[in-house]
Amino acid sequence: MKLVFSAVLLALTAACTHVAPYERGKLAHPTMNDAVSAGPAAEHVYAVHEGATGGGSVAESGCGCN
Amino acid sequence: MRLAPVLAVALVAAIARADDEPNPAEQSVSRKDRGEHLAAERVATTRKLDDTSTKHAALALAAYTDSDNVTVFTPSLAASIENILQGASLKGRYIVDVVSAASADIVATASPRWTEVRHAGSLEATYKPHNFGVTIAGSVSTEPDYFSFGVGSEMTLDLFEKNTTLVAGFGYGHDTVGRCGAEGSPANTGPSCTSFGVFSRVVNRTSFNFGWTQLLGPSTVSALVLDVGLENGDQSKPYRYVPMFSSSVAPDVPNGASVAYVTANRVAERPLEQTPLSKRRLSLTGRLAHRFEGSTLKLEERVYVDTWALFASTTDARWIFDAGKRVGIWPHVRFHGQKGVSFWKRAYVSGDAPSWDLPVFRTGDRELGPLWTATGGGGLYFYLGSDANPQKARLSVSIDGIYTSFLDDLYITQRSGLISSVTLEMEL
């Protein structure tokens, strides 16, 4: 786990290049944000079917769904 | 940001001065009337120039069905208003789950199909005028036998011309678990629910998250999110009865043993589920998005571990291809694998009557057992706006097949399901 985290951290740091604001045309493409992602219903199905959570909002409410 | 109103007033004043030039058509209008007219024009123009907010609304309909006789119909409504110049936004969502189930677990308790409706709402406000921003959020979820609310706050800091963004958040959730239906049967909606004042359990959830988003180049962005969760309270399902076996029978109970087999071979005692009263969980999520010339690749990997010894890995990939100016299409795959919790048993052993000597922790929640799930599907979107602004409205359709293999379970060894959704989003 620590090894994976360190490797990812190292890769990110090494890969960083400064991107000026005027170079961000591709980053601003609508598909680069959350516009195309699993909807709330699919997220909910995954949360119920998988015994793992994380990576979402901090203020999620629970449910008695499984 | 504060220059905007000043410029607007100056612009209106300039327009007013231009209007003050002698005009024969206005000679008959009194000075007072003309002043009122100009003042009204000033207000209208200023308001128009000041309103830099964008408003969005989305309506989604989703349906889920699986081979374990569970169907879920989920309509949802979302709306947001955002003012980029002032750095403020407000988002809200309302979702309804209509669940109908006659799963193997329900059949095993000789109970009929049940239907339940869950309502959930959330609200999120963000203020981020410059590089530092704060978000506060709240959510509520209610079912006949379950009530939950959550509040949270998140701070965001942009660094190095927004090449790096750091996020730190805190959340608190409070769940009240109740019970509906007669003893010995699963949940039923309606007046048979026991009030929370008579029977309820409380589960408190506290969570912290730390995120780091990093631009890796003009086409690539990555993010790492660390989540830490502390859950205290009895999360055991008050409907879930766990079959017990004698020590001589338990080793021979096969994977996926049928309801008839379990009924014939279990001991008479069938206690309720009991899980540990606290859980600490940790997850690390990595995300990567890369924009190619005509497509966008999105990857996500999450590793999860908790103090119940559940270890899981989830990988998600979505590749969105541009198919013209108005259409996008994507394949989607997801794989989830997990090791069961430390107290997971396909066949729990109990002693003889009258003491029974039950295992302290026992569960029939197959999502806590060892399993893997593969999801595959895709979707497409159409931009429906005018030629000048096609992205003003969008219709999305997606469908995914989900297959789960339960590696050490009673009743079922696999489940296949389908989830589909239609979403209409509009800029108002």
Side-chain angles (χ1 to χ4, degrees), chain B residues 66-345:
Chain B
D66 69 28
S67 58
D68 198 24
N69 296 307
V70 175
T71 60
V72 185
F73 181 63
T74 309
S76 67
L77 185 64
S80 68
I81 179 165
E82 186 174 13
N83 189 317
I84 295 171
L85 289 179
Q86 295 181 352
S89 69
L90 185 67
K91 296 174 185 173
R93 183 184 296 278
Y94 173 64
I95 188 167
V96 179
D97 270 336
V98 183
V99 184
S100 177
S103 65
D105 300 306
I106 294 168
V107 172
T109 57
S111 302
R113 172 180 285 273
W114 57 264
T115 301
E116 190 173 82
V117 180
R118 181 177 79 103
H119 300 268
S122 62
L123 203 59
E124 181 183 302
T126 298
Y127 183 59
K128 187 169 178 286
H130 299 291
N131 292 331
F132 180 74
V134 176
T135 296
I136 54 170
S139 63
V140 175
S141 170
T142 178
E143 300 161 57
D145 56 353
Y146 206 100
F147 178 76
S148 173
F149 72 84
V151 291
S153 179
E154 212 166 61
M155 289 176 292
T156 308
L157 179 65
D158 292 331
L159 300 169
F160 316 123
E161 284 191 311
K162 297 190 177 182
N163 273 250
T164 301
T165 300
L166 301 177
V167 176
F170 166 79
Y172 170 75
H174 182 89
D175 295 6
T176 305
V177 185
R179 187 184 164 83
C180 293
E183 189 75 16
S185 72
N188 286 305
T189 53
S192 60
C193 293
T194 306
S195 78
F196 287 141
V198 175
F199 171 82
S200 65
R201 296 172 181 158
V202 169
V203 178
N204 288 307
R205 297 174 288 108
T206 307
S207 61
F208 302 90
N209 72 15
F210 306 94
W212 172 26
T213 302
Q214 181 67 49
L215 300 187
L216 299 181
S219 309
T220 312
V221 59
S222 68
L224 269 180
V225 182
L226 178 71
D227 284 279
V228 180
L230 318 169
E231 298 174 359
N232 292 306
D234 192 351
Q235 302 184 35
S236 314
K237 194 83 171 172
Y239 309 106
R240 189 172 284 135
Y241 291 88
V242 183
M244 293 285 146
F245 299 87
S246 67
S247 56
S248 59
V249 171
D252 298 326
V253 175
N255 190 26
S258 67
V259 173
Y261 178 96
V262 172
T263 305
N265 289 280
R266 69 176 176 84
V267 299
E269 178 68 354
R270 192 172 51 162
L272 278 166
E273 176 180 73
Q274 184 59 63
T275 55
L277 300 181
S278 72
K279 179 156 73 173
R280 306 287 178 261
R281 57 181 173 78
L282 183 76
S283 73
L284 182 66
T285 307
R287 295 191 180 97
L288 188 80
H290 181 81
R291 178 69 192 166
F292 294 98
E293 207 49 54
S295 66
T296 301
L297 177 64
K298 292 170 134 178
L299 302 171
E300 181 176 313
E301 168 64 26
R302 179 184 65 198
V303 288
Y304 171 96
V305 64
D306 66 33
T307 52
W308 293 4
L310 194 146
F311 177 80
S313 165
T314 310
T315 308
D316 194 288
R318 201 179 297 264
W319 202 337
I320 308 143
F321 293 89
D322 306 341
K325 188 182 171 188
R326 289 177 174 269
V327 182
I329 185 165
W330 69 89
H332 170 231
V333 291
R334 183 181 179 92
F335 184 83
H336 172 85
Q338 69 180 50
K339 185 175 82 63
V341 295
S342 59
F343 52 92
W344 176 262
K345 291 265 191 294

Side-chain angles (χ1 to χ4, degrees), chain A residues 1-13, chain B residues 224 282 284 301 303 311:
Chain A
M1 177 85 169
K2 281 180 184 172
L3 194 67
V4 172
F5 184 71
S6 305
V8 171
L9 207 64
L10 193 68
L12 285 179
T13 311
Chain B
L224 269 180
L282 183 76
L284 182 66
E301 168 64 26
V303 288
F311 177 80

